[in-house]
Amino acid sequence: MSAESLLVVESVSKRYGETLAVDGVSLRVGAGEVYALVGANGAGKSTLIRMMTGLAEPDSGDVTVCGEEMRRRPLAAKRRVGYLPEELYFYQRLTGREYLRLVAGLKGADDARAAEEAEFFELKAVEGKWVGGYSLGMRKKLGLAAAFIGAPRVLVLDEPLNGLDVEMMRKLRLRVERERDAGAAFVVSSHVMSFVERAADRAGVMSGGRIVAEGTPAELRRLAGMPDEPFEDVFFHLAK
Amino acid sequence: MKQLRLIAGARLVEGGRWARENLYALLVLGPLVLGMTYFGVGRMVREAEWSPTEWQTLFACVAAAACLAALSLSRASVEVYHVRSPEWVLDALPVSAGAQLSAALMLRASRTLAVGAVALVLRWLAGGEVVSARLFASLGLLVAVLASGEVLSALGWVRWSHRRGGAQGAASLAGFALCATVAGALLADVSRPGGLNAVGRAALVAGGVLTAALLVALAFAAHARWRASDAEFAKRLGARERWGGGVERLAERACGGRRELSSQLARDLRLTLRGFSSAVYAAAGVAVLVILLLVALLAGGVLPGGESESWTSTTWLPRVLAVKFACVLAAAASAALLPVLVAHQRPHFWLERSAGLKGEDAWRAKLYLARVLAAPAASAAWVAGAACGAVPASYAPALLAECVGLWWLVSTVAGGLAFEMPDQPGLALVVTLCAALAAGGLAAVVWPIGLAIYGMGVQPLCLRGVERAQFYLTSTEGV
């Protein structure tokens, strides 16, 4: 792990009624690191991610982004975060270009950055069309472009691969590696284990609202005693 | 400020494009409704011998304002907390809570402008001037008080649902009552010309300004204090278990146990009960309005009583005719929802296609839906007529039979046209309403005509309906 921790999650818990969705989770993600969050449906990944990005307030514990506490200085913390949610809602009657410019404006970034991201995520051909007419893949690319606008130091991507074609998956992986090498920190939640094994420096396996195993993909293999099996089997073994 | 400008700009662009998409409704349906209101309701209001007292007007306006604020709770909470809406992005971006609430208040105020427009129409119908600085000041205050009260009530409602605090709940209720009282007084002032003297009007304006300022200040304070902890709860409110067990049984019974029909009918009923479109509220509102007008006409003694020469000629007494026309209007308004529902469902017809559903089954399910939707409206018209003593007791069963016949005819015509033009729901709505009103209106005046229409016209209408349903089940054009 790098010396500088850009994202620090300390003993956060979140309860919905009788259900304890996240139970005292702590983790640190350093500059130049990709941290993968894996777990079954309902394990608490999305709730944890929502607390990391300031969309939900922890019942206890704290989240700090680049030294800014999310609870006390939410705006300063959010300025450093780029977020792709799993469920995407867009203005149906704005064009892709208009949407990206809106996000750029709210983040205090130049419109030129919006154009660059539209170019990178291959949205140029459709950026003049209303978002309501976009396919699932187009919408995902638009969400990704919005997350990367403003060169945030911490990027939190919830299921970034859903709906993307193979070419764009590869392009995204290379982009993540490039940004990581430039010093950004990533938290990626994904069910695509090949992506996790290839792109992540460390992974945390969540089950029942807690991180039950954590380490590099190689360490997790060793922990599970499965050096040659597919990573899906390693995850299944650890989550169980 | 820049953030608020950006958010408002995005909403303006989106709203403008929505308006462009709905030009037909705005330029054709709007004037049509206004025209019908002017020549129908307006004429009745002007020629009625009975007119409400000032206190009755004030009471009705306060009740209307309270209903509006209560009905807006859900929508206002969505606007404040961005539940399943594009504004979720504002929560993830460095946008201040103040800018988010200001944007929500602006949106609520823009929607509340419609109330101001209705009040202006009422004033116009009552013969008052509609262009004056004083009037626009009152209108502006009405919009400000109602919008800020709705937002504050929504914040309080979510908070109380979350924490169940007694003191907070009572304070929220007090805010709601203040909003309803002052907005109701302003609404009464706007809609009824010459109601207040200069001193009273000055006091009302001062009260309105103070109330609006107080409600806005309270909304900002409550939002700053509660947003962080309540936002997540508001988003999960929609995930609660939904009522709907009775719908299955009703659908089974209506379809005589045919599963391929009852499953569609149950789905359509659930979508309607859960408000798949604002058209649901509009249709229900029109139907309720018609029944209320009927009650007002019958109870207010506006219609001449009259004595019929024989039992059979009772059907042409003005009061009996009013009940029958109300039955037709309310049933047609309820059943006219069908083309909107079909348009809403059209992108999801892959389900019917992949299930191998026949056009006849799809059409028949909509026909049954029309009957189920129109039944309460028709029943209410008869109950109102009977309860207000509109008909001699000896004619009440016969009137019931006439209302049943009208309900059957109107809902059959509306259901038969359900698949007529799902790619143009606005036009389909007008066509369905006109056809159902024409058939029902003729049958209301002379009931044998209803039998003739049913005997000669319904068979070809049904055949055409089945063909249209089959066409739209197999065609993806325009989806």
Side-chain angles (χ1 to χ4, degrees):
Chain A
M1 187 172 56
S2 311
E4 186 193 5
S5 290
L6 296 187
L7 176 69
V8 180
V9 177
E10 279 184 305
S11 309
V12 296
S13 296
K14 183 79 182 175
R15 180 182 287 279
Y16 295 118
E18 297 295 305
T19 310
L20 188 58
V22 175
D23 182 10
V25 168
S26 296
L27 63 88
R28 284 167 180 266
V29 185
E33 184 178 30
V34 178
Y35 186 97
L37 210 49
V38 295
N41 294 332
K45 303 186 300 293
S46 289
T47 304
L48 180 58
I49 281 178
R50 291 174 67 78
M51 289 190 285
M52 286 176 185
T53 51
L55 288 163
E57 192 176 58
D59 294 336
S60 61
D62 283 308
V63 173
T64 308
V65 181
C66 302
E68 305 285 1
E69 277 188 49
M70 190 61 86
R71 197 191 292 269
R72 289 183 185 81
R73 292 175 47 82
L75 296 188
K78 285 177 184 178
R79 269 187 208 108
R80 286 146 176 98
V81 179
Y83 173 49
L84 171 78
E86 186 179 8
E87 272 187 283
L88 291 161
Y89 298 99
F90 295 111
Y91 292 95
Q92 300 295 297
R93 293 177 188 83
L94 289 192
T95 66
R97 186 190 300 122
E98 288 165 346
Y99 180 75
L100 291 179
R101 283 184 178 173
L102 169 68
V103 173
L106 293 173
K107 284 186 171 184
D110 290 338
D111 284 352
R113 287 288 299 179
E116 282 170 25
E117 295 303 343
E119 179 87 45
F120 179 85
F121 285 102
E122 300 173 3
L123 290 164
K124 277 286 169 191
V126 294
E127 68 173 356
K129 293 180 179 169
W130 289 8
V131 178
Y134 281 21
S135 66
L136 172 65
M138 291 292 181
R139 294 163 77 87
K140 185 64 86 175
K141 287 183 202 176
L142 188 64
L144 280 164
F148 276 92
I149 284 176
R153 293 208 69 197
V154 176
L155 277 131
V156 182
L157 310 179
D158 197 353
E159 297 294 346
L161 304 180
N162 283 1
L164 294 185
D165 58 33
V166 178
E167 193 183 338
M168 186 47 74
M169 280 190 198
R170 179 177 176 277
K171 203 169 174 181
L172 177 63
R173 181 173 57 78
L174 295 174
R175 174 76 185 268
V176 167
E177 288 171 1
R178 198 179 82 203
E179 299 284 344
R180 176 193 60 191
D181 294 343
F186 282 84
V187 174
V188 181
S189 164
S190 179
H191 293 297
V192 182
M193 291 300 143
S194 56
F195 178 84
V196 169
E197 186 168 25
R198 204 159 168 193
D201 299 302
R202 283 190 305 138
V205 181
M206 281 197 80
S207 178
R210 289 187 294 171
I211 293 187
V212 293
E214 190 176 39
T216 64
E219 286 169 350
L220 291 177
R221 280 187 175 284
R222 275 200 297 280
L223 191 64
M226 300 169 126
D228 300 318
E229 278 82 349
F231 204 65
E232 282 87 353
D233 295 350
V234 174
F235 157 69
F236 181 74
H237 178 83
L238 291 170
K240 200 169 55 168
Chain B
M1 203 60 197
K2 186 195 169 194
Q3 289 182 329
L4 187 59
R5 189 168 47 79
L6 282 168
I7 299 165
R11 281 204 180 124
L12 264 179
V13 170
E14 169 129 314
R17 286 172 184 165
W18 174 87
R20 201 174 66 195
E21 268 188 341
N22 292 279
L23 263 186
Y24 175 79
L26 294 172
L27 296 183
V28 178
L29 289 184
L32 197 71
V33 170
L34 282 178
M36 284 171 70
T37 308
Y38 181 74
F39 289 112
V41 182
R43 187 166 178 174
M44 276 196 284
V45 168
R46 279 192 300 275
E47 293 182 5
E49 290 170 7
W50 173 82
S51 67
T53 63
E54 281 183 19
W55 282 108
Q56 282 170 329
T57 306
L58 181 63
F59 179 77
C61 287
V62 170
C67 287
L68 280 170
L71 285 171
S72 305
L73 282 180
S74 169
R75 170 59 77 173
S77 66
V78 166
E79 288 160 7
V80 172
Y81 291 116
H82 318 316
V83 183
R84 288 179 291 283
S85 72
E87 283 82 12
W88 72 268
V89 75
L90 305 180
D91 285 328
L93 295 175
V95 178
S96 69
Q100 297 202 42
L101 185 68
S102 301
L105 274 168
M106 281 170 61
L107 184 61
R108 191 95 301 267
S110 69
R111 291 194 164 138
T112 314
L113 277 175
V115 179
V118 171
L120 267 187
V121 170
L122 286 175
R123 186 183 177 87
W124 174 53
L125 288 174
E129 56 170 359
V130 289
V131 182
S132 81
R134 187 196 68 73
L135 176 66
F136 287 120
S138 291
L139 263 179
L141 278 176
L142 168 66
V143 170
V145 170
L146 206 49
S148 54
E150 285 170 356
V151 167
L152 179 64
S153 301
L155 286 163
W157 174 56
V158 172
R159 183 67 178 179
W160 182 80
S161 305
H162 190 189
R163 298 292 164 98
R164 303 274 167 184
Q168 177 267 317
S172 294
L173 262 181
F176 178 86
L178 176 68
C179 161
T181 309
V182 177
L186 286 162
L187 185 61
D189 182 45
V190 169
S191 56
R192 188 187 168 105
L196 284 175
N197 59 24
V199 178
R201 201 168 294 133
L204 182 62
V205 168
V209 170
L210 283 175
T211 306
L214 177 67
L215 292 173
V216 168
L218 285 174
F220 271 92
H223 184 253
R225 196 164 171 190
W226 296 337
R227 182 178 185 90
S229 62
D230 285 354
E232 182 76 0
F233 177 81
K235 288 182 174 69
R236 297 172 70 85
L237 270 176
R240 65 179 188 264
E241 282 192 24
R242 297 287 183 167
W243 163 86
V247 168
E248 293 278 359
R249 285 192 295 278
L250 175 66
E252 286 275 345
R253 187 162 294 180
C255 300
R258 289 184 62 188
R259 287 287 298 148
E260 69 275 22
L261 295 185
S262 65
S263 54
Q264 290 182 75
L265 181 58
R267 173 202 58 191
D268 295 348
L269 280 170
R270 284 199 178 102
L271 285 173
T272 307
L273 289 171
R274 290 167 194 175
F276 70 89
S277 153
S278 54
V280 175
Y281 304 108
V286 170
V288 169
L289 193 66
V290 167
I291 301 300
L292 288 178
L293 270 174
L294 175 67
V295 171
L297 284 174
L298 296 177
V302 178
L303 294 170
E307 286 288 323
S308 60
E309 291 172 5
S310 63
W311 185 81
T312 48
S313 60
T314 310
T315 187
W316 289 298
L317 283 178
R319 288 168 160 247
V320 175
L321 280 174
V323 173
K324 290 193 284 184
F325 280 120
C327 172
V328 169
L329 276 170
S334 308
L337 201 58
L338 262 78
V340 186
L341 177 66
V342 173
H344 170 78
Q345 289 178 335
R346 210 177 157 212
H348 313 294
F349 274 171
W350 61 267
L351 182 63
E352 279 87 344
R353 276 186 216 115
S354 59
L357 200 72
K358 287 184 289 185
E360 185 180 352
D361 291 336
W363 173 81
R364 199 165 287 283
K366 295 291 180 283
L367 180 68
Y368 290 168
L369 177 68
R371 288 186 179 146
V372 172
L373 290 181
S379 318
W382 179 76
V383 169
C388 293
V391 287
S394 60
Y395 195 76
L399 180 63
L400 176 63
E402 283 198 84
C403 285
V404 168
L406 291 172
W407 157 68
W408 192 263
L409 179 65
V410 166
S411 58
T412 304
V413 172
L417 292 169
F419 284 88
E420 198 53 36
M421 47 188 94
D423 37 4
Q424 285 178 290
L427 187 57
L429 190 80
V430 174
V431 169
T432 305
L433 261 179
C434 289
L437 288 178
L442 282 172
V445 178
V446 188
W447 61 264
I449 290 182
L451 292 181
I453 292 172
Y454 196 83
M456 292 192 291
V458 163
Q459 179 71 4
L461 186 75
C462 292
L463 287 175
R464 183 175 168 81
V466 171
E467 279 174 19
R468 298 296 291 172
Q470 188 64 45
F471 172 75
Y472 281 107
L473 275 189
T474 50
S475 162
T476 54
E477 190 184 325
V479 175

